[in-house]
PDB file of all heavy atoms in Angstrom:
ATOM      1  N   GLY N 245     -17.783  -0.229  -2.140  1.00  0.00           N
ATOM      2  CA  GLY N 245     -16.376   0.068  -2.331  1.00  0.00           C
ATOM      3  C   GLY N 245     -15.494  -0.704  -1.374  1.00  0.00           C
ATOM      4  O   GLY N 245     -15.974  -1.331  -0.425  1.00  0.00           O
ATOM      5  N   ILE N 246     -14.192  -0.657  -1.625  1.00  0.00           N
ATOM      6  CA  ILE N 246     -13.205  -1.328  -0.787  1.00  0.00           C
ATOM      7  C   ILE N 246     -11.895  -0.550  -0.889  1.00  0.00           C
ATOM      8  O   ILE N 246     -11.539  -0.070  -1.967  1.00  0.00           O
ATOM      9  CB  ILE N 246     -13.022  -2.806  -1.221  1.00  0.00           C
ATOM     10  CG1 ILE N 246     -12.091  -3.549  -0.262  1.00  0.00           C
ATOM     11  CG2 ILE N 246     -12.531  -2.902  -2.651  1.00  0.00           C
ATOM     12  CD1 ILE N 246     -12.089  -5.063  -0.497  1.00  0.00           C
ATOM     13  N   TYR N 247     -11.199  -0.397   0.248  1.00  0.00           N
ATOM     14  CA  TYR N 247      -9.971   0.408   0.186  1.00  0.00           C
ATOM     15  C   TYR N 247      -8.974   0.032   1.272  1.00  0.00           C
ATOM     16  O   TYR N 247      -9.276  -0.721   2.201  1.00  0.00           O
ATOM     17  CB  TYR N 247     -10.300   1.893   0.239  1.00  0.00           C
ATOM     18  CG  TYR N 247     -10.787   2.451   1.575  1.00  0.00           C
ATOM     19  CD1 TYR N 247      -9.946   3.246   2.355  1.00  0.00           C
ATOM     20  CD2 TYR N 247     -12.092   2.252   2.032  1.00  0.00           C
ATOM     21  CE1 TYR N 247     -10.376   3.821   3.538  1.00  0.00           C
ATOM     22  CE2 TYR N 247     -12.548   2.822   3.201  1.00  0.00           C
ATOM     23  CZ  TYR N 247     -11.681   3.605   3.963  1.00  0.00           C
ATOM     24  OH  TYR N 247     -12.121   4.163   5.151  1.00  0.00           O
ATOM     25  N   THR N 248      -7.765   0.560   1.127  1.00  0.00           N
ATOM     26  CA  THR N 248      -6.715   0.446   2.121  1.00  0.00           C
ATOM     27  C   THR N 248      -6.048   1.794   2.265  1.00  0.00           C
ATOM     28  O   THR N 248      -6.364   2.748   1.549  1.00  0.00           O
ATOM     29  CB  THR N 248      -5.695  -0.637   1.743  1.00  0.00           C
ATOM     30  OG1 THR N 248      -4.877  -0.928   2.885  1.00  0.00           O
ATOM     31  CG2 THR N 248      -4.802  -0.191   0.591  1.00  0.00           C
ATOM     32  N   HIS N 249      -5.107   1.892   3.221  1.00  0.00           N
ATOM     33  CA  HIS N 249      -4.397   3.151   3.462  1.00  0.00           C
ATOM     34  C   HIS N 249      -2.906   2.866   3.567  1.00  0.00           C
ATOM     35  O   HIS N 249      -2.492   1.955   4.288  1.00  0.00           O
ATOM     36  CB  HIS N 249      -4.898   3.799   4.747  1.00  0.00           C
ATOM     37  CG  HIS N 249      -4.392   5.192   4.958  1.00  0.00           C
ATOM     38  ND1 HIS N 249      -4.686   6.229   4.103  1.00  0.00           N
ATOM     39  CD2 HIS N 249      -3.613   5.717   5.937  1.00  0.00           C
ATOM     40  CE1 HIS N 249      -4.120   7.330   4.547  1.00  0.00           C
ATOM     41  NE2 HIS N 249      -3.454   7.063   5.641  1.00  0.00           N
ATOM     42  N   PHE N 250      -2.109   3.647   2.838  1.00  0.00           N
ATOM     43  CA  PHE N 250      -0.663   3.443   2.834  1.00  0.00           C
ATOM     44  C   PHE N 250      -0.031   4.105   4.058  1.00  0.00           C
ATOM     45  O   PHE N 250      -0.354   5.240   4.406  1.00  0.00           O
ATOM     46  CB  PHE N 250      -0.052   4.026   1.565  1.00  0.00           C
ATOM     47  CG  PHE N 250      -0.500   3.338   0.307  1.00  0.00           C
ATOM     48  CD1 PHE N 250      -0.967   4.077  -0.777  1.00  0.00           C
ATOM     49  CD2 PHE N 250      -0.468   1.961   0.194  1.00  0.00           C
ATOM     50  CE1 PHE N 250      -1.377   3.452  -1.946  1.00  0.00           C
ATOM     51  CE2 PHE N 250      -0.868   1.322  -0.966  1.00  0.00           C
ATOM     52  CZ  PHE N 250      -1.335   2.072  -2.038  1.00  0.00           C
ATOM     53  N   SER N 251       0.934   3.417   4.650  1.00  0.00           N
ATOM     54  CA  SER N 251       1.556   3.915   5.878  1.00  0.00           C
ATOM     55  C   SER N 251       2.784   4.778   5.640  1.00  0.00           C
ATOM     56  O   SER N 251       3.121   5.625   6.482  1.00  0.00           O
ATOM     57  CB  SER N 251       1.954   2.733   6.771  1.00  0.00           C
ATOM     58  OG  SER N 251       2.911   1.909   6.118  1.00  0.00           O
ATOM     59  N   SER N 252       3.467   4.592   4.515  1.00  0.00           N
ATOM     60  CA  SER N 252       4.778   5.240   4.359  1.00  0.00           C
ATOM     61  C   SER N 252       5.009   5.821   2.974  1.00  0.00           C
ATOM     62  O   SER N 252       6.146   5.880   2.501  1.00  0.00           O
ATOM     63  CB  SER N 252       5.892   4.225   4.668  1.00  0.00           C
ATOM     64  OG  SER N 252       5.731   3.661   5.940  1.00  0.00           O
ATOM     65  N   ALA N 253       3.945   6.267   2.333  1.00  0.00           N
ATOM     66  CA  ALA N 253       4.102   6.789   0.965  1.00  0.00           C
ATOM     67  C   ALA N 253       4.897   8.088   0.934  1.00  0.00           C
ATOM     68  O   ALA N 253       5.360   8.503  -0.121  1.00  0.00           O
ATOM     69  CB  ALA N 253       2.723   7.007   0.338  1.00  0.00           C
ATOM     70  N   PHE N 254       5.086   8.725   2.113  1.00  0.00           N
ATOM     71  CA  PHE N 254       5.905   9.940   2.171  1.00  0.00           C
ATOM     72  C   PHE N 254       7.339   9.648   1.730  1.00  0.00           C
ATOM     73  O   PHE N 254       7.982  10.482   1.116  1.00  0.00           O
ATOM     74  CB  PHE N 254       5.948  10.478   3.607  1.00  0.00           C
ATOM     75  CG  PHE N 254       4.614  10.875   4.175  1.00  0.00           C
ATOM     76  CD1 PHE N 254       3.889  10.010   4.961  1.00  0.00           C
ATOM     77  CD2 PHE N 254       4.093  12.128   3.899  1.00  0.00           C
ATOM     78  CE1 PHE N 254       2.674  10.381   5.498  1.00  0.00           C
ATOM     79  CE2 PHE N 254       2.864  12.514   4.418  1.00  0.00           C
ATOM     80  CZ  PHE N 254       2.153  11.635   5.218  1.00  0.00           C
ATOM     81  N   ARG N 255       7.835   8.454   2.113  1.00  0.00           N
ATOM     82  CA  ARG N 255       9.271   8.225   1.934  1.00  0.00           C
ATOM     83  C   ARG N 255       9.662   6.808   1.519  1.00  0.00           C
ATOM     84  O   ARG N 255      10.833   6.542   1.312  1.00  0.00           O
ATOM     85  CB  ARG N 255      10.002   8.552   3.240  1.00  0.00           C
ATOM     86  CG  ARG N 255       9.555   7.727   4.438  1.00  0.00           C
ATOM     87  CD  ARG N 255      10.239   8.200   5.731  1.00  0.00           C
ATOM     88  NE  ARG N 255       9.789   7.467   6.896  1.00  0.00           N
ATOM     89  CZ  ARG N 255      10.328   6.343   7.335  1.00  0.00           C
ATOM     90  NH1 ARG N 255      11.347   5.813   6.686  1.00  0.00           N
ATOM     91  NH2 ARG N 255       9.866   5.739   8.412  1.00  0.00           N
ATOM     92  N   ASN N 256       8.696   5.894   1.409  1.00  0.00           N
ATOM     93  CA  ASN N 256       9.051   4.508   1.118  1.00  0.00           C
ATOM     94  C   ASN N 256       8.176   3.954   0.001  1.00  0.00           C
ATOM     95  O   ASN N 256       7.148   3.316   0.247  1.00  0.00           O
ATOM     96  CB  ASN N 256       8.907   3.661   2.393  1.00  0.00           C
ATOM     97  CG  ASN N 256       9.590   2.306   2.263  1.00  0.00           C
ATOM     98  OD1 ASN N 256       9.691   1.754   1.176  1.00  0.00           O
ATOM     99  ND2 ASN N 256      10.056   1.767   3.382  1.00  0.00           N
ATOM    100  N   ALA N 257       8.583   4.187  -1.223  1.00  0.00           N
ATOM    101  CA  ALA N 257       7.803   3.751  -2.379  1.00  0.00           C
ATOM    102  C   ALA N 257       7.753   2.225  -2.465  1.00  0.00           C
ATOM    103  O   ALA N 257       6.727   1.653  -2.848  1.00  0.00           O
ATOM    104  CB  ALA N 257       8.408   4.332  -3.661  1.00  0.00           C
ATOM    105  N   GLU N 258       8.839   1.569  -2.099  1.00  0.00           N
ATOM    106  CA  GLU N 258       8.881   0.100  -2.187  1.00  0.00           C
ATOM    107  C   GLU N 258       7.856  -0.532  -1.255  1.00  0.00           C
ATOM    108  O   GLU N 258       7.110  -1.436  -1.649  1.00  0.00           O
ATOM    109  CB  GLU N 258      10.285  -0.399  -1.855  1.00  0.00           C
ATOM    110  CG  GLU N 258      10.434  -1.915  -2.008  1.00  0.00           C
ATOM    111  CD  GLU N 258      11.849  -2.391  -1.744  1.00  0.00           C
ATOM    112  OE1 GLU N 258      12.761  -1.539  -1.670  1.00  0.00           O
ATOM    113  OE2 GLU N 258      12.036  -3.605  -1.590  1.00  0.00           O
ATOM    114  N   LEU N 259       7.803  -0.063  -0.011  1.00  0.00           N
ATOM    115  CA  LEU N 259       6.821  -0.585   0.936  1.00  0.00           C
ATOM    116  C   LEU N 259       5.407  -0.291   0.470  1.00  0.00           C
ATOM    117  O   LEU N 259       4.501  -1.119   0.613  1.00  0.00           O
ATOM    118  CB  LEU N 259       7.056   0.006   2.326  1.00  0.00           C
ATOM    119  CG  LEU N 259       6.052  -0.398   3.415  1.00  0.00           C
ATOM    120  CD1 LEU N 259       6.036  -1.909   3.602  1.00  0.00           C
ATOM    121  CD2 LEU N 259       6.377   0.305   4.737  1.00  0.00           C
ATOM    122  N   THR N 260       5.195   0.882  -0.103  1.00  0.00           N
ATOM    123  CA  THR N 260       3.879   1.248  -0.602  1.00  0.00           C
ATOM    124  C   THR N 260       3.425   0.286  -1.700  1.00  0.00           C
ATOM    125  O   THR N 260       2.262  -0.137  -1.729  1.00  0.00           O
ATOM    126  CB  THR N 260       3.899   2.695  -1.138  1.00  0.00           C
ATOM    127  OG1 THR N 260       4.277   3.576  -0.076  1.00  0.00           O
ATOM    128  CG2 THR N 260       2.537   3.111  -1.670  1.00  0.00           C
ATOM    129  N   LYS N 261       4.336  -0.079  -2.587  1.00  0.00           N
ATOM    130  CA  LYS N 261       3.989  -1.007  -3.667  1.00  0.00           C
ATOM    131  C   LYS N 261       3.699  -2.410  -3.118  1.00  0.00           C
ATOM    132  O   LYS N 261       2.846  -3.123  -3.640  1.00  0.00           O
ATOM    133  CB  LYS N 261       5.124  -1.043  -4.694  1.00  0.00           C
ATOM    134  CG  LYS N 261       5.220   0.247  -5.501  1.00  0.00           C
ATOM    135  CD  LYS N 261       6.361   0.214  -6.496  1.00  0.00           C
ATOM    136  CE  LYS N 261       6.423   1.503  -7.301  1.00  0.00           C
ATOM    137  NZ  LYS N 261       7.552   1.515  -8.256  1.00  0.00           N
ATOM    138  N   ILE N 262       4.411  -2.779  -2.048  1.00  0.00           N
ATOM    139  CA  ILE N 262       4.127  -4.078  -1.400  1.00  0.00           C
ATOM    140  C   ILE N 262       2.727  -4.062  -0.801  1.00  0.00           C
ATOM    141  O   ILE N 262       1.967  -5.028  -0.933  1.00  0.00           O
ATOM    142  CB  ILE N 262       5.185  -4.371  -0.314  1.00  0.00           C
ATOM    143  CG1 ILE N 262       6.550  -4.662  -0.959  1.00  0.00           C
ATOM    144  CG2 ILE N 262       4.746  -5.544   0.563  1.00  0.00           C
ATOM    145  CD1 ILE N 262       7.684  -4.762   0.037  1.00  0.00           C
ATOM    146  N   GLN N 263       2.378  -2.959  -0.159  1.00  0.00           N
ATOM    147  CA  GLN N 263       1.028  -2.827   0.397  1.00  0.00           C
ATOM    148  C   GLN N 263      -0.023  -2.904  -0.706  1.00  0.00           C
ATOM    149  O   GLN N 263      -1.078  -3.526  -0.531  1.00  0.00           O
ATOM    150  CB  GLN N 263       0.885  -1.496   1.148  1.00  0.00           C
ATOM    151  CG  GLN N 263       1.523  -1.455   2.517  1.00  0.00           C
ATOM    152  CD  GLN N 263       1.156  -0.191   3.273  1.00  0.00           C
ATOM    153  OE1 GLN N 263       1.915   0.771   3.289  1.00  0.00           O
ATOM    154  NE2 GLN N 263      -0.011  -0.181   3.884  1.00  0.00           N
ATOM    155  N   LEU N 264       0.268  -2.259  -1.830  1.00  0.00           N
ATOM    156  CA  LEU N 264      -0.686  -2.263  -2.933  1.00  0.00           C
ATOM    157  C   LEU N 264      -0.886  -3.674  -3.477  1.00  0.00           C
ATOM    158  O   LEU N 264      -2.025  -4.095  -3.766  1.00  0.00           O
ATOM    159  CB  LEU N 264      -0.208  -1.327  -4.046  1.00  0.00           C
ATOM    160  CG  LEU N 264      -1.137  -1.184  -5.257  1.00  0.00           C
ATOM    161  CD1 LEU N 264      -2.501  -0.648  -4.831  1.00  0.00           C
ATOM    162  CD2 LEU N 264      -0.511  -0.285  -6.311  1.00  0.00           C
ATOM    163  N   THR N 265       0.194  -4.425  -3.607  1.00  0.00           N
ATOM    164  CA  THR N 265       0.098  -5.802  -4.089  1.00  0.00           C
ATOM    165  C   THR N 265      -0.721  -6.661  -3.123  1.00  0.00           C
ATOM    166  O   THR N 265      -1.580  -7.454  -3.543  1.00  0.00           O
ATOM    167  CB  THR N 265       1.495  -6.416  -4.262  1.00  0.00           C
ATOM    168  OG1 THR N 265       2.216  -5.661  -5.240  1.00  0.00           O
ATOM    169  CG2 THR N 265       1.412  -7.863  -4.714  1.00  0.00           C
ATOM    170  N   LEU N 266      -0.470  -6.494  -1.845  1.00  0.00           N
ATOM    171  CA  LEU N 266      -1.213  -7.232  -0.822  1.00  0.00           C
ATOM    172  C   LEU N 266      -2.693  -6.894  -0.886  1.00  0.00           C
ATOM    173  O   LEU N 266      -3.564  -7.770  -0.782  1.00  0.00           O
ATOM    174  CB  LEU N 266      -0.635  -6.908   0.555  1.00  0.00           C
ATOM    175  CG  LEU N 266      -1.185  -7.682   1.753  1.00  0.00           C
ATOM    176  CD1 LEU N 266      -0.988  -9.184   1.568  1.00  0.00           C
ATOM    177  CD2 LEU N 266      -0.492  -7.202   3.032  1.00  0.00           C
ATOM    178  N   PHE N 267      -2.975  -5.622  -1.076  1.00  0.00           N
ATOM    179  CA  PHE N 267      -4.368  -5.168  -1.181  1.00  0.00           C
ATOM    180  C   PHE N 267      -5.041  -5.775  -2.409  1.00  0.00           C
ATOM    181  O   PHE N 267      -6.164  -6.301  -2.320  1.00  0.00           O
ATOM    182  CB  PHE N 267      -4.390  -3.647  -1.247  1.00  0.00           C
ATOM    183  CG  PHE N 267      -5.754  -3.052  -1.472  1.00  0.00           C
ATOM    184  CD1 PHE N 267      -6.801  -3.296  -0.576  1.00  0.00           C
ATOM    185  CD2 PHE N 267      -6.003  -2.223  -2.568  1.00  0.00           C
ATOM    186  CE1 PHE N 267      -8.060  -2.747  -0.785  1.00  0.00           C
ATOM    187  CE2 PHE N 267      -7.248  -1.665  -2.774  1.00  0.00           C
ATOM    188  CZ  PHE N 267      -8.281  -1.930  -1.887  1.00  0.00           C
ATOM    189  N   ARG N 268      -4.370  -5.713  -3.552  1.00  0.00           N
ATOM    190  CA  ARG N 268      -4.955  -6.269  -4.775  1.00  0.00           C
ATOM    191  C   ARG N 268      -5.259  -7.761  -4.615  1.00  0.00           C
ATOM    192  O   ARG N 268      -6.328  -8.233  -5.036  1.00  0.00           O
ATOM    193  CB  ARG N 268      -3.982  -6.077  -5.950  1.00  0.00           C
ATOM    194  CG  ARG N 268      -3.866  -4.646  -6.474  1.00  0.00           C
ATOM    195  CD  ARG N 268      -2.886  -4.642  -7.637  1.00  0.00           C
ATOM    196  NE  ARG N 268      -2.608  -3.328  -8.182  1.00  0.00           N
ATOM    197  CZ  ARG N 268      -3.343  -2.723  -9.120  1.00  0.00           C
ATOM    198  NH1 ARG N 268      -4.423  -3.331  -9.587  1.00  0.00           N
ATOM    199  NH2 ARG N 268      -3.000  -1.538  -9.577  1.00  0.00           N
ATOM    200  N   ASP N 269      -4.343  -8.489  -4.002  1.00  0.00           N
ATOM    201  CA  ASP N 269      -4.554  -9.926  -3.809  1.00  0.00           C
ATOM    202  C   ASP N 269      -5.771 -10.187  -2.917  1.00  0.00           C
ATOM    203  O   ASP N 269      -6.570 -11.098  -3.186  1.00  0.00           O
ATOM    204  CB  ASP N 269      -3.309 -10.562  -3.175  1.00  0.00           C
ATOM    205  CG  ASP N 269      -2.121 -10.609  -4.130  1.00  0.00           C
ATOM    206  OD1 ASP N 269      -2.341 -10.430  -5.338  1.00  0.00           O
ATOM    207  OD2 ASP N 269      -0.988 -10.837  -3.647  1.00  0.00           O
ATOM    208  N   THR N 270      -5.906  -9.389  -1.870  1.00  0.00           N
ATOM    209  CA  THR N 270      -7.036  -9.551  -0.949  1.00  0.00           C
ATOM    210  C   THR N 270      -8.348  -9.214  -1.646  1.00  0.00           C
ATOM    211  O   THR N 270      -9.363  -9.916  -1.464  1.00  0.00           O
ATOM    212  CB  THR N 270      -6.851  -8.661   0.295  1.00  0.00           C
ATOM    213  OG1 THR N 270      -5.576  -8.939   0.889  1.00  0.00           O
ATOM    214  CG2 THR N 270      -7.949  -8.917   1.321  1.00  0.00           C
TER     215      THR N 270
END
């Protein structure tokens, strides 16, 4: 498996989506 962890999903959906895109690319 492979995973990441979101830092600001409590209040920042835009940053969370940026993290997700970065993760997918990696």
Side-chain angles (χ1 to χ4, degrees):
I246 185 169
Y247 71 106
T248 193
H249 189 63
F250 296 130
S251 62
S252 305
F254 299 96
R255 60 185 177 88
N256 195 330
E258 183 177 347
L259 177 59
T260 301
K261 290 178 179 179
I262 290 172
Q263 283 189 262
L264 182 60
T265 298
L266 186 58
F267 175 59
R268 287 181 184 274
D269 290 345
T270 306

